[in-house]
Amino acid sequence: MRRGIAATALAASLALVATACGDDGDGGSAGGPVKITWWDTSNATNEAPTYKALIKEFEKAHPDIDVEYVNVPFDQAQNKFTTAAGTKGAPDVIRTEVGWTASWAKSQFLAQLDGTAALPKPEDFTPSLLKQAQYEGATYGAPIVTDTLALLWNKDLLKKAGHDAPPADWDELMDIAADVEDKAGADGFWVNSDPYYTLPFLFGEGTDMVDAEAGKITVDSPAAVTGVEKLKEIVDAPGTADLDVTADAYAHMQDAFVNGKVAMIIQGPWELTNIYAGSAFTHKSNLGIAPVPAGSTGEAGAPTGGHNLSVYNGSDEAHQEAAKEFVGWMTSARTQSKIARANGTLPTRASAYTDEVTAAPGIADYQQVLADTAQPRPSLPEYSTLLGDDFAQNLTAILQGDTSVADGLDDTAGKFAELVPDFA
């Protein structure tokens, strides 16, 4: 839909709701603004201030729309929105992780965005990112940021250990990690046992948790066993930090890396702001960003992540039109460029990669990693659910030595069969 047509439709719907709702405090009485709510799942400390500032810009440019900003912790958002949507109490706009979008579209919680003000110039989006926002051929999310996992490395620590370049494969990573421990007095590598961070070990063996096209569960395949066996080998190797499976493991990993206590981690661009604020990276050039190491196939792979902005399907026309206008503005190239410069995140529109954006520390490096090794997630609504507690618990048992790799992955496959019963 062209912007002029969208604006006309929005104005008409604002007038309609003003007539229908009266002075209910939520929608345009006597020409007042429509009030929409946005649940944002970004980091409340480092990212949210940017979004709050952008809302003020949007409201100034769109006096007929007020936006109520609510920051919802990422680890609570999926369950919270699912519950709210089922009771007609969801926000007008939700920042949805790419893995949630298809699932919520399947449940009819989200409005279609094709041909609306939410998706101006869809051809400018990276095609694979737009595809991840679709379900059964329709688009239910506007990509706002993208990401992937990369190997982050402390150049000073590797140099002290006699290495000027990052490892190309997992075996080389173990060698370098041992040298860092021996010569630099720090841990060489930190293993994050979360299933999402385990995907590079599967991708490096040419497999995934499932083969969506074939309708087959592959988390217990020989290739997957090989990948997780390599992960277990790294956990037990000299130079690897002690496995942390506490509730605060992620924070402990970040603290160790930013303060120079560990030389290498696997991480996404969403932590760049925090990392550059750490004592080990006072000089930003000390941070190395490289593709994740390759598996035995010689290939490296990491999941394509990111977030979309989606519109709740259960509100009235006026609120949906206002929400779509907001989504289109927030995911425009101009706005994405501002977000990237402020938060160190990767835009989803090609035209948002301006000279200023690519000059920002870390952005060009991650953009290259995204092009080289990122793999789009399969078009499967249940994919993000497969990365949940059952897989996590089995991985913990495997890495702690409480069960074998084969038995742990077999048990995971059995749990997957309950989530995707049509898969073999």
Side-chain angles (χ1 to χ4, degrees):
M1 181 182 291
R2 291 188 175 86
R3 196 163 186 83
I5 299 174
T8 301
L10 176 60
S13 61
L14 292 177
L16 181 63
V17 77
T19 302
C21 296
D23 190 11
D24 62 0
D26 186 40
S29 176
V34 169
K35 299 178 182 178
I36 61 173
T37 301
W38 176 30
W39 283 6
D40 174 35
T41 61
S42 69
N43 183 284
T45 302
N46 298 315
E47 296 181 272
T50 299
Y51 292 118
K52 291 177 181 178
L54 287 169
I55 285 173
K56 291 181 179 179
E57 288 187 30
F58 173 81
E59 290 178 333
K60 185 176 180 180
H62 301 80
D64 291 329
I65 305 172
D66 283 346
V67 180
E68 179 186 3
Y69 177 89
V70 180
N71 189 271
V72 179
F74 177 79
D75 59 357
Q76 301 174 21
Q78 187 175 14
N79 288 337
K80 187 172 182 178
F81 181 81
T82 300
T83 300
T87 58
K88 300 291 185 181
D92 300 286
V93 178
I94 175 74
R95 183 180 187 256
T96 168
E97 205 269 345
V98 294
W100 305 342
T101 307
S103 177
W104 287 340
K106 182 179 179 181
S107 298
Q108 300 183 355
F109 292 156
L110 305 180
Q112 291 189 25
L113 303 183
D114 299 286
T116 74
L119 284 177
K121 298 181 179 179
E123 68 280 359
D124 189 34
F125 286 111
T126 301
S128 62
L129 303 181
L130 197 61
K131 186 175 181 180
Q132 287 190 158
Q134 295 173 344
Y135 175 67
E136 294 187 341
T139 310
Y140 292 89
I144 186 169
V145 294
T146 187
D147 60 60
T148 191
L149 295 176
L151 179 75
L152 305 190
W153 51 294
N154 183 315
K155 294 180 182 179
D156 285 345
L157 286 178
L158 261 67
K159 188 173 183 179
K160 288 179 181 178
H163 298 276
D164 293 322
D169 58 37
W170 297 118
D171 287 336
E172 190 176 352
L173 179 140
M174 286 189 284
D175 291 340
I176 293 176
D179 286 343
V180 168
E181 182 181 60
D182 183 48
K183 300 176 183 178
D187 287 321
F189 183 61
W190 184 296
V191 169
N192 185 332
S193 63
D194 183 275
Y196 186 73
Y197 288 77
T198 303
L199 291 178
F201 289 88
L202 301 186
F203 294 172
E205 302 304 322
T207 191
D208 198 340
M209 299 186 297
V210 293
D211 183 337
E213 290 187 4
K216 186 177 181 180
I217 294 170
T218 55
V219 73
D220 57 343
S221 66
V225 170
T226 297
V228 178
E229 283 178 343
K230 180 59 65 177
L231 175 61
K232 171 63 173 165
E233 183 182 351
I234 292 172
V235 167
D236 296 335
T240 300
D242 292 340
L243 185 68
D244 188 342
V245 295
T246 67
D248 295 324
Y250 183 93
H252 295 161
M253 176 185 72
Q254 283 300 117
D255 180 72
F257 186 67
V258 303
N259 290 308
K261 297 175 183 177
V262 63
M264 297 178 287
I265 62 172
I266 302 296
Q267 191 54 286
W270 55 84
E271 288 290 356
L272 281 176
T273 302
N274 285 332
I275 290 169
Y276 284 131
S279 61
F281 302 101
T282 302
H283 298 291
K284 292 181 173 63
S285 60
N286 189 42
L287 178 65
I289 301 172
V292 296
S296 67
T297 63
E299 299 294 328
T304 303
H307 294 83
N308 303 318
L309 292 187
S310 295
V311 174
Y312 178 46
N313 197 36
S315 60
D316 59 42
E317 183 182 359
H319 285 79
Q320 286 195 33
E321 290 296 329
K324 291 170 185 176
E325 190 73 20
F326 175 66
V327 167
W329 190 89
M330 285 295 294
T331 59
S332 67
R334 175 181 174 275
T335 306
Q336 284 196 37
S337 294
K338 288 187 175 183
I339 295 169
R341 295 197 304 273
N343 292 350
T345 52
L346 302 180
T348 61
R349 288 184 178 274
S351 61
Y353 283 93
T354 63
D355 290 343
E356 282 184 293
V357 169
T358 55
I363 296 294
D365 293 323
Y366 262 107
Q367 185 185 15
Q368 188 62 52
V369 170
L370 192 70
D372 289 345
T373 58
Q375 294 186 197
R377 300 187 199 184
S379 187
L380 181 69
E382 295 84 3
Y383 191 82
S384 63
T385 308
L386 300 179
L387 291 163
D389 291 340
D390 291 326
F391 194 5
Q393 290 168 7
N394 281 315
L395 271 175
T396 297
I398 289 169
L399 298 181
Q400 289 183 317
D402 296 331
T403 189
S404 69
V405 173
D407 287 347
L409 294 184
D410 281 346
D411 187 72
T412 301
K415 298 296 185 182
F416 282 9
E418 299 174 10
L419 297 170
V420 283
D422 294 334
F423 280 38

